[in-house]
């Protein structure tokens, strides 16, 4: 996601996103930040979202052991921290979840003296709408959501969310297994905002998903990789970076951003409240913003990097790919970011999602 990002994250009307030609610095150092002195750091990240060799690189350079766990949605990560009392030092939520966690006093302010590589972050990603004073977060990756389909199983060249509702592909359709993303698809297809607080619109989206349910093979998160790579499903909605990972295995796959509009997001590194190893967490965040680690992660995951020095090292064809690095006009006209919603509206999303899950399909 972006705005200059701060405005775009709240209005999606600004220009000048990530791709502006800000000159890249010579490189962000992997030298340990002040305060790092052995011990451990407990990291909680999305699945399939890192080059795991960087964890060993970090340990070799700092002496800090990384305990690394993964989750498959913002909501599951939030539940683990909020309800299960799990202890992590670094988490990587998406924009709207960061805003929610700030509001609920679940994050520690960062000491940017310990994160000097923050200087390499694209300025358009700083002071975003979800963290306007840039006290709690450092961007990790960003990108756009689209539709992935198997060209040997789907006819023509689709361009709409309607492909996910097409009876011709019954039991070949995969849908997100979380309320915000799953219902977001229906909201966009109906012409509504991802961030609607109108109960009638939210209920209409649920009704549409209930009608769709007999067509759905399964509701998935990380399982989407195996299903699309193996050709056991024809169509899904997922992120461009993940599409590139899948297409490396199955070149029959294609990607598009639906004409009705889609999601633009940023995932950012944060430290949970009362983290036991805050100095080590800041050292880890700083290392992940080094050119060395950032380039490895970008080349492994295909997600769009917020690091200027990394972008300068990437293949020109990738940097000029409009799905990987869409321009500001496209983002402003076609993409919307998720925003944190009032608690009663979030509860409605959850209850409507439960209504969908309990419906016959």
């Amino acid at each position: 996601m972006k705005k200059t990002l701060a405005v775009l994250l709240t209005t999606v009307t600004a220009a000048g996103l990530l791709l502006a030609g800000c000159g890249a610095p010579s490189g962000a150092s992997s030298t340990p930040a002040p305060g790092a002195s052995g011990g451990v750091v407990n990291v909680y990240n999305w699945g399939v979202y890192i080059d795991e060799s960087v964890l060993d690189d970090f340990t070799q350079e700092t002496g800090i052991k990384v305990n690394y766990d993964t989750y498959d949605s913002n909501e599951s990560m939030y539940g683990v921290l909020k309800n299960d009392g799990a202890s992590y030092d670094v988490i990587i939520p998406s924009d709207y979840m960061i805003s929610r966690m700030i509001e609920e006093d679940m994050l520690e302010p960062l000491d940017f003296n310990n994160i000097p590589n923050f200087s390499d972050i694209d300025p358009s990603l700083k002071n975003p709408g979800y963290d306007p004073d840039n006290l709690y977060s450092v961007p990790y990756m960003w990108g756009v959501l689209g539709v992935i389909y198997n060209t040997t199983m789907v006819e023509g060249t689709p361009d709409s969310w309607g492909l996910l509702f097409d009876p011709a592909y019954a039991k070949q359709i995969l849908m997100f297994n979380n309320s915000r993303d799953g219902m977001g698809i229906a909201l966009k297809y109906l012409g509504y905002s991802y961030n609607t607080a109108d109960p009638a619109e939210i209920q209409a989206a649920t009704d549409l998903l209930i009608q769709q349910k007999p067509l759905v093979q399964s509701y998935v998160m990380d399982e989407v990789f195996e299903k699309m790579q193996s050709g056991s499903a024809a169509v899904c909605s997922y992120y461009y970076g993940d599409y590139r990972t899948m297409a490396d295995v199955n070149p029959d796959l294609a990607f598009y951003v639906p004409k009705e509009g889609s999601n633009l997001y940023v995932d950012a590194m944060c430290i949970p409240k009362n983290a036991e190893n805050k100095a080590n967490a800041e050292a880890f965040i700083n290392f992940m913003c080094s050119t060395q680690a950032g380039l490895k992660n970008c080349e492994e995951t295909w997600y769009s990097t917020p690091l200027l020095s990394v972008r300068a090292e990437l293949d020109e064809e990738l940097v000029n790919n409009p799905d990987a690095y869409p321009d500001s006009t496209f983002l402003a006209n076609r993409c919307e970011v998720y925003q944190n919603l009032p608690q009663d509206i979030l509860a409605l999303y959850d209850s409507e999602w439960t209504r969908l899950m309990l419906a016959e399909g």
Side-chain angles (χ1 to χ4, degrees), residues 93-137:
S94 301
D95 34 51
Y96 73 93
M97 185 57 70
I98 294 171
S99 178
R100 179 177 182 178
M101 297 178 81
I102 292 171
E103 184 176 296
E104 296 181 18
D105 194 28
M106 293 178 65
L107 300 179
E108 287 280 356
L110 302 176
D111 183 348
F112 283 90
N113 290 322
N114 292 333
I115 311 174
N117 287 339
F118 184 69
S119 63
D120 193 32
I121 297 290
D122 188 320
S124 68
L125 280 166
K126 296 179 178 180
N127 302 102
Y130 58 84
D131 182 11
D133 296 321
N134 224 140
L135 298 176
Y136 300 96
S137 63

Side-chain angles (χ1 to χ4, degrees), residues 46-274:
W46 297 81
V48 198
Y49 208 25
I50 196 171
D51 181 333
E52 293 197 17
S53 72
V54 304
L55 305 179
D56 294 330
D57 295 342
F58 174 71
T59 298
Q60 290 174 4
E61 294 205 15
T62 65
I64 300 170
K65 177 185 176 182
V66 181
N67 297 320
Y68 189 80
D69 291 333
T70 63
Y71 53 88
D72 63 8
S73 73
N74 283 294
E75 288 70 24
S76 64
M77 178 277 301
Y78 172 86
V80 166
L81 269 66
K82 186 77 170 182
N83 303 319
D84 298 347
S87 178
Y88 288 98
D89 303 309
V90 178
I91 57 174
I92 306 180
S94 301
D95 34 51
Y96 73 93
M97 185 57 70
I98 294 171
S99 178
R100 179 177 182 178
M101 297 178 81
I102 292 171
E103 184 176 296
E104 296 181 18
D105 194 28
M106 293 178 65
L107 300 179
E108 287 280 356
L110 302 176
D111 183 348
F112 283 90
N113 290 322
N114 292 333
I115 311 174
N117 287 339
F118 184 69
S119 63
D120 193 32
I121 297 290
D122 188 320
S124 68
L125 280 166
K126 296 179 178 180
N127 302 102
Y130 58 84
D131 182 11
D133 296 321
N134 224 140
L135 298 176
Y136 300 96
S137 63
V138 173
Y140 176 67
M141 295 286 187
W142 69 281
V144 294
L145 174 70
V147 173
I148 302 170
Y149 67 100
N150 190 312
T151 58
T152 68
M153 302 168 72
V154 172
E155 295 183 0
T157 306
D159 63 357
S160 167
W161 285 118
L163 184 62
L164 290 161
F165 299 88
D166 189 336
Y169 304 105
K171 298 305 181 184
Q172 295 296 313
I173 296 166
L174 305 176
M175 287 290 288
F176 277 112
N177 191 22
N178 74 76
S179 60
R180 200 75 195 271
D181 290 317
M183 293 180 67
I185 291 171
L187 287 167
K188 273 297 174 189
Y189 187 43
L190 291 170
Y192 302 142
S193 168
Y194 278 128
N195 301 302
T196 183
D198 184 335
E201 294 181 353
I202 296 168
Q203 290 163 4
T206 307
D207 291 341
L208 177 60
L209 293 173
I210 289 173
Q211 294 174 26
Q212 178 210 34
K213 192 172 184 180
L215 309 179
V216 176
Q217 181 187 115
S218 58
Y219 296 87
V220 299
M221 292 304 295
D222 287 345
E223 309 95 305
V224 71
F225 288 90
E226 187 280 327
K227 287 180 175 292
M228 293 302 294
Q229 288 170 176
S230 67
S232 62
V235 59
C236 71
S237 176
Y238 232 65
Y239 307 100
Y240 178 74
D242 294 319
Y243 155 69
R244 290 293 296 261
T245 297
M246 296 178 207
D248 281 345
V249 177
N250 185 347
D252 291 329
L253 300 179
F255 176 93
Y256 65 90
V257 176
K259 62 185 179 183
E260 297 89 353
S262 191
N263 172 229
L264 170 66
Y265 66 89
V266 172
D267 296 328
M269 296 174 283
C270 304
I271 298 178
K273 197 76 172 179
N274 301 317

Side-chain angles (χ1 to χ4, degrees), residues 31-46:
T31 302
S37 58
V40 301
V41 62
N42 301 301
V43 179
Y44 202 25
N45 191 9
W46 297 81

